[in-house]
Amino acid sequence: MATAGENRETALLAALIHVADTLVADFDLLDLLHRLTTDCVALFPADAAGLLVSDHQGTLRLVASSSEAARLVELFQLQSDEGPCLDCYRSGQPVNAPDLSVGDRWTRFTARAAQEGFRSVHAVPMRLRGQTIGALNLFGAASAALPPADLRAVQALADAATITILQERDLHGEQAVTTKLQAALNRRAIIEQAKGVLAEVGNLDMGEAFIRLRDHAHATDQPLTDLARRLVTREAGIEVLDQTGR
């Protein structure tokens, strides 16, 4: 959750710098987008975040989430073709739902979100000059609006990530970026496998396994996908499994 005052401003600046750094150095796209979701939870009054990006066919895909609950809600949204995040992507405009129980715009989505503990959603488009490539979505456990200043800051982070992806397209061509995005989508399978390993060995649910994996990756300053691959292939062992308490 968000911290207040100068510490929060410093953290927001650090998040923007992290995205900007990718413009001058090689980077792991999936790690960048995953870090964006966790930064949003740390910076703003949100309990989870998810990020949808379109693939080379223009189909939205889930590429990052800060929690297992957010992942499940985003996947349900895609499967049911209904929800505020899809509306945000299609319209290219922010969609704010501070109280999902009000109205009947997304009845199936609202029921599933409530099942996972979410009562509000705020979605901002990943866009640049009329081109929308995805949506950044914040989920809240309570019914509440985001302050306008927070919404502007969330949009700024989404815009910075969009610029990064489109900058890659300008430098290396659309096909190269499409390949990179598709590779990022494919690498999610490695993370899911690693979560399964941790869940089984540590007797954890998938949500807790994801948190342990994510926190260890950040604590050791390594890309999430690299850690997941090392765990699945057993190149990483004790130092990660110790996080499970076993």
Side-chain angles (χ1 to χ4, degrees):
M1 299 293 287
T3 57
E6 185 176 348
N7 288 341
R8 182 175 181 275
E9 292 180 2
T10 301
L12 178 57
L13 179 60
L16 286 167
I17 290 174
H18 176 74
V19 175
D21 280 347
T22 63
L23 296 176
V24 294
D26 192 23
F27 64 97
D28 183 314
L29 184 59
L30 184 58
D31 190 56
L32 166 71
L33 299 179
H34 173 75
R35 183 69 65 91
L36 180 59
T37 64
T38 57
D39 281 346
C40 283
V41 175
L43 288 165
F44 308 109
D47 295 282
L51 206 155
L52 304 174
V53 174
S54 59
D55 63 17
H56 64 287
Q57 295 179 329
T59 301
L60 271 186
R61 301 279 296 276
L62 173 65
V63 295
S65 60
S66 67
S67 72
E68 179 69 6
R71 185 184 77 88
L72 293 175
V73 170
E74 293 281 39
L75 288 176
F76 178 83
Q77 191 169 197
L78 293 173
Q79 292 165 359
S80 63
D81 195 33
E82 172 192 286
C85 310
L86 271 66
D87 286 0
C88 174
Y89 169 70
R90 290 164 176 164
S91 69
Q93 299 297 321
V95 174
N96 297 305
D99 187 349
L100 287 170
S101 67
V102 175
D104 56 359
R105 188 174 178 184
W106 311 291
T107 53
R108 289 176 297 169
F109 169 82
T110 296
R112 185 52 190 266
Q115 182 181 333
E116 297 298 333
F118 299 129
R119 301 291 184 273
S120 61
V121 179
H122 301 278
V124 299
M126 296 185 68
R127 66 187 179 193
L128 182 67
R129 292 191 291 273
Q131 181 178 7
T132 304
I133 64 171
L136 173 60
N137 316 303
L138 274 57
F139 300 91
S143 298
L146 277 183
D150 283 353
L151 288 172
R152 289 193 296 270
V154 174
Q155 186 67 70
L157 285 170
D159 290 346
T162 304
I163 290 169
T164 292
I165 294 171
L166 297 181
Q167 173 82 354
E168 280 286 292
R169 180 177 297 171
D170 289 341
L171 290 175
H172 305 295
E174 184 171 355
Q175 184 59 44
V177 175
T178 296
T179 300
K180 199 168 188 176
L181 280 170
Q182 192 61 49
L185 293 169
N186 294 340
R187 286 200 299 275
R188 281 200 59 87
I190 296 294
I191 295 175
E192 295 305 311
Q193 292 176 42
K195 284 162 51 180
V197 170
L198 287 179
E200 180 177 358
V201 174
N203 193 27
L204 305 168
D205 61 36
M206 292 294 280
E208 179 62 22
F210 177 77
I211 291 172
R212 299 293 180 90
L213 184 69
R214 178 199 67 196
D215 289 352
H216 190 81
H218 288 178
T220 54
D221 195 27
Q222 58 181 310
L224 181 63
T225 48
D226 286 357
L227 175 61
R229 185 177 296 106
R230 292 176 59 239
L231 181 60
V232 169
T233 59
R234 300 303 195 272
E235 293 177 24
I238 296 175
E239 73 275 18
V240 179
L241 298 180
D242 278 350
Q243 297 282 322
T244 68
R246 296 193 60 168

